[in-house]
Amino acid sequence: MTTTSIPPHPASAAPRSMRAELAPVLAAAVAADPGLITVGADGRALFGQVIERDPRRYVDVGIAEANLVGVAAGLARAGLRPVAAAMAPFLVRRAYEQIRLDVCVPGLPVVLLGVGGGLGYGPLGPTHHATDDITLMSAMPGMEVYCPADAADAVRVVRTVLADTSGPAYVRLSARPDPVLPPAASGGDPREPRLLRDGDDVLVLATGRCVAEALDAADGLAADGVAAAVASVTALHPFPAAAVRELVGSRPLVVTAAESLPQGGLGPCTADALGRRGPALISLHTDHRYPPVAAHQDLLRFYGVDGQSIRSAVLSHRNRKTREA
């Protein structure tokens, strides 16, 4: 478990795109490994550099996500290592049966990259939102599920899953550039939580885009006299329960923040890890309310998983405990 204590993150750093950062990484991996092959569904942003170097290492199935997964599974059975990418809402929902039966049941080493998971496509609306991707993919047999916190974390995760051929993996990628987080957010093993900021009063566990929101909340809570620790949890399935328990330690309050539905997500998994005798736990997550047409940041606020919502949850709990004392 990485437990590096660091200063507040630099808010002035320009946001970075996961797709832009991953494109050269994937191209280099394909060049280095003759068994690696990429598969896309009418989307080339991730694989453009692969195509430039060697178009034979890229298969485009068109707008047909079920086909995408079936082709990837066939390539895996032929001894290749496929990396398949598509927009998350369509990859997860349209190809759910194929992912389960063609890839997960036989345990094939297929890497699935879901672009725009969560609320990343913002004003395109609920047809393009995928807050259910973590829930659905965590229910798959043998599937590893990752939700990187920023572009550097996404690079670390993809390199990790490419090196592991034991089974399938799903990686949620953002659709737009994300805030740049401290180096500790992408250091060490992505299967373990990383402590980004220390504090004794509360631990905020966050995943994906909510990690930046948690750091913002911690900055605000410091002004309120609350010492908030922040940790990033990138691996959601299998869940690093023992490492989370160790990280929580003796802190009296844990808050989880995730841009996803609760089932199979960060909040319930943390609750299971801590058990009934654990500290007070507040779980912030999305729900099934119909969203407004709004930008990504506004949607995080609508569902109550932005920095201000995290800060408010901590202060409300603190005030309630003060009144009860």
Side-chain angles (χ1 to χ4, degrees):
M1 176 175 58
T2 304
T3 56
T4 305
S5 181
I6 59 169
H9 63 298
S12 59
R16 291 161 58 189
S17 163
M18 289 186 184
R19 282 184 286 184
E21 295 292 320
L22 280 172
V25 172
L26 290 167
V30 168
D33 183 353
L36 200 62
I37 190 164
T38 58
V39 192
D42 195 39
R44 301 190 176 192
L46 276 166
F47 302 136
Q49 295 187 34
V50 173
I51 298 168
E52 289 176 5
R53 293 188 184 189
D54 187 353
R56 297 170 300 174
R57 308 290 290 281
Y58 173 73
V59 179
D60 194 325
V61 303
I63 306 176
E65 289 78 12
N67 232 18
L68 172 80
V69 174
V71 168
L75 292 169
R77 285 189 178 277
L80 297 174
R81 173 66 159 156
V83 180
M87 294 174 70
F90 311 129
L91 172 64
V92 172
R93 298 191 195 114
R94 291 178 179 171
Y96 198 66
E97 181 180 13
Q98 286 74 22
I99 293 172
R100 185 181 190 279
L101 297 180
D102 294 353
V103 173
C104 290
V105 170
L108 297 178
V110 176
V111 176
L112 300 171
L113 305 179
V115 179
L119 302 162
Y121 281 115
L124 292 181
T127 58
H128 285 62
H129 296 165
T131 57
D132 53 353
D133 62 336
I134 302 300
T135 297
L136 293 171
M137 299 306 274
S138 294
M140 290 288 186
M143 179 73 82
E144 292 188 357
V145 178
Y146 297 88
C147 187
D150 70 352
D153 194 20
V155 169
R156 171 74 71 170
V157 168
V158 168
R159 284 177 170 158
T160 298
V161 297
L162 287 180
D164 182 0
T165 59
S166 61
Y170 173 76
V171 184
R172 176 200 275 192
L173 302 179
S174 59
R176 306 287 182 255
D178 296 298
V180 175
L181 300 180
S186 54
D189 187 347
R191 296 184 176 96
E192 299 291 331
R194 293 98 158 219
L195 185 65
L196 310 186
R197 176 177 179 140
D198 212 347
D200 295 331
D201 295 329
V202 57
L203 172 65
V204 182
L205 292 172
T207 188
R209 178 66 175 77
C210 288
V211 176
E213 300 298 320
L215 287 169
D216 287 342
D219 290 342
L221 287 167
D224 300 318
V226 178
V230 175
S232 173
V233 183
T234 296
L236 297 173
H237 190 264
F239 190 73
V244 166
R245 285 193 296 271
E246 181 183 346
L247 190 58
V248 169
S250 60
R251 294 183 180 90
L253 175 64
V254 176
V255 176
T256 64
E259 186 185 350
S260 58
L261 296 177
Q263 296 84 359
L266 180 60
C269 287
T270 299
D272 288 344
L274 298 181
R276 295 182 178 180
R277 296 184 180 180
L281 174 64
I282 299 171
S283 177
L284 303 179
H285 47 75
T286 64
D287 52 49
H288 287 297
R289 284 176 294 160
Y290 196 88
V293 177
H296 190 189
Q297 185 65 39
D298 294 327
L299 290 169
L300 294 176
R301 186 177 305 111
F302 173 80
Y303 286 109
V305 294
D306 66 321
Q308 184 55 52
S309 298
I310 297 169
R311 181 181 180 185
S312 296
V314 173
L315 294 178
S316 294
H317 176 85
R318 185 190 193 196
N319 293 338
R320 184 171 61 254
K321 298 298 288 185
T322 300
R323 290 193 301 268
E324 293 172 353

